[in-house]
Amino acid sequence: MTKVYIALGSNLDERHQYLVDAIEELKRHKEIIITLQSEIYETAPVGYTDQNDFLNMVVEAETELSPLDLLDYCQGIERELGRKRVVKWGPRTIDLDILLYNQENIKDDRLTIPHPHMHERAFVMVPLAELNPGVHITSVNQQAQEIVARMPKDELENVRIWKRD
């Protein structure tokens, strides 16, 4: 079994329900076992900022799927849950990003692992470090907790544990 980390995010409609539905779809696959789930964090949008706040989280899983088969399955979940790619970094029902696949480095036309910008994004690194502070990010040769410790305070303050209203 291969250990993987997948980031999930949503900022449209029933944000929480989209996260729940995506996790259920991941669990439904016989070759994906969710082993840990982070807290859910509410985060300000990055890049295109004229949109609702996101709910973000990270799951740790074990899988027998190849990286591209896992990508295909994740993109299938996005399509099933109504994801439309209209504006880069724009609003979305659900986003699933493969962050890490074991300690492999993969660069393909469709997939780069480790995720190329994960170390720059507090909304990814905070929940990842919650699950596994010592996980090594090979692209920057640092552990998750080291990356979080060096992030700007204002970025970290925009990543808050979500409380249901």
Side-chain angles (χ1 to χ4, degrees), residues 9-13 15-16 41-46 48-56 91-92 158-160 162:
S10 176
N11 77 331
L12 287 178
D13 304 321
R15 304 174 299 170
H16 179 254
Y41 294 85
E42 189 164 35
T43 62
V46 174
Y48 177 70
T49 57
D50 187 23
Q51 59 182 320
N52 297 332
D53 285 352
F54 280 82
L55 292 184
N56 293 100
R92 61 203 70 173
N158 281 327
V159 179
R160 329 165 275 291
W162 177 67

Side-chain angles (χ1 to χ4, degrees), residues 1-6 26 31-36 58-63 70 100 102 131:
M1 293 290 262
T2 299
K3 185 179 285 189
V4 298
Y5 292 90
I6 302 170
L26 286 168
E31 294 183 79
I32 299 173
I33 300 166
I34 304 283
T35 52
L36 292 172
V58 171
V59 297
E60 176 188 273
E62 294 180 352
T63 187
L70 181 59
L100 300 169
N102 262 355
L131 293 182

Side-chain angles (χ1 to χ4, degrees), residues 5 36-39 41 57-60 99-100 118 121-137 143-149 151 156 159:
Y5 292 90
L36 292 172
Q37 293 179 210
S38 74
E39 293 282 350
Y41 294 85
M57 66 184 301
V58 171
V59 297
E60 176 188 273
L99 303 175
L100 300 169
M118 64 185 283
R121 298 175 174 161
F123 65 86
V124 170
M125 293 308 304
V126 168
L128 177 62
E130 173 197 326
L131 293 182
N132 187 344
V135 69
H136 187 253
I137 314 303
Q143 294 178 337
Q145 64 190 356
E146 295 172 310
I147 294 168
V148 170
M151 291 187 140
L156 293 173
V159 179

